[in-house]
Amino acid sequence: MRNRYTLLALSLALAGPLAGCSPQAACTTPICLRAHWPLNEAAGATSVADVVANPILNTGTPKPGAVAAWPSMTGPMAVSGQMAGGLYFPGNGATWVEVPSTPDLNLGYGSLYLEAHVAPVQCGAGAYYPILDKWGGSNGYTFYLEGTGPGQVRAALRLGGSTFTSTQSFTANFTPPSGGTWTQVAVKVDGASGVFYVNGSPAGTFTAPGGSTTNTLPLWIGALHTPPSGMGHCEIGLDEVKMGTVNPIYSGQ
């Protein structure tokens, strides 16, 4: 009898510290997010939060200094975003958010999803606007905008050695810290099928290459490691930056 009670007491003692431990919830949505940066940080913030623990938080650091208040250019600037706050990346690409490389961020060529709300400044044709970048030349990915004419831009994806662009242009008229049009842009790669989205609607398709995106570069938000050839940098406001993979259950849909 004593042994029985001893085992019961031991079981109850163990149940306390273990009760809060549970396996990570399985993804049940068409897109399985690896990271989501709301970019709601206020001036003075020295870290940029990721709200998806999958399995770790991919916390970023504003560069070259803390999040700044308008009109300082010592770091990304806190501005009004599409949803609460956003960050504005001014200058010549010298402000950004840096996220250390993790397996979470090395997305496969055949299963990739990138999304952001963007507010580009009007710079005209020949300009590029950085969203996020983990491109090492022969592998990796870059999501950005490119100017197509006065007050117009389109989404672009650099994947390995290939570059693809959306067929739909949209407004570039942001005037920081609060004025202008915010647009939701996204790109999904599911196997060899690639599609751009603007405000949730399809905006062009492409045939994606095979290969691996794995590299050790940090992910940058608001700047590019290597700018597109022949293009000049332009300023952009960013909000609700997300990245993830296609849920195999929904693949091909």
Side-chain angles (χ1 to χ4, degrees):
M1 183 67 69
R2 179 178 299 174
N3 288 341
R4 180 181 175 186
Y5 288 139
T6 301
L7 289 173
L8 177 61
L10 180 60
S11 298
L12 291 173
L14 289 174
L18 294 178
C21 299
S22 59
Q24 184 174 329
C27 174
T28 59
T29 54
I31 299 298
C32 301
L33 290 182
R34 293 280 185 89
H36 173 193
W37 298 277
L39 305 185
N40 291 333
E41 281 71 23
T46 56
S47 64
V48 175
D50 168 24
V51 296
V52 177
N54 185 45
I56 64 171
L57 293 172
N58 289 281
T59 303
T61 302
K63 299 283 187 174
V67 173
W70 175 263
S72 172
M73 292 190 181
T74 56
M77 296 183 198
V79 296
S80 298
Q82 171 68 20
M83 302 178 187
L87 293 181
Y88 173 68
F89 298 86
N92 60 355
T95 61
W96 71 98
V97 172
E98 183 166 299
V99 184
S101 180
T102 70
D104 271 2
L105 308 180
N106 285 321
L107 304 177
Y109 271 36
S111 183
L112 175 151
Y113 181 80
L114 308 172
E115 178 188 320
H117 281 84
V118 298
V121 171
Q122 180 176 195
C123 283
Y128 77 89
Y129 304 75
I131 300 175
L132 59 81
D133 179 61
K134 199 178 188 298
W135 187 74
S138 61
N139 60 15
Y141 52 90
T142 307
F143 193 31
Y144 64 104
L145 308 179
E146 60 179 36
T148 59
Q152 292 289 301
V153 295
R154 65 184 177 185
L157 172 71
R158 190 165 49 180
L159 188 59
S162 301
T163 300
F164 308 97
T165 57
S166 167
T167 57
Q168 179 179 336
S169 294
F170 54 91
T171 302
N173 63 1
F174 189 63
T175 302
S178 60
T181 303
W182 287 86
T183 302
Q184 183 192 48
V185 294
V187 62
K188 180 176 74 172
V189 176
D190 182 7
S193 175
V195 58
F196 288 97
Y197 298 90
V198 174
N199 290 327
S201 297
T205 61
F206 58 93
T207 301
S212 170
T213 65
T214 300
N215 61 46
T216 59
L217 286 173
L219 181 140
W220 283 4
I221 299 172
L224 306 186
H225 294 275
T226 305
S229 178
M231 303 184 76
H233 176 271
C234 193
E235 296 87 352
I236 189 171
L238 296 176
D239 196 7
E240 304 296 329
V241 175
K242 302 176 183 180
M243 61 184 307
T245 58
V246 178
N247 189 332
I249 298 173
Y250 294 90
S251 181
Q253 298 183 16

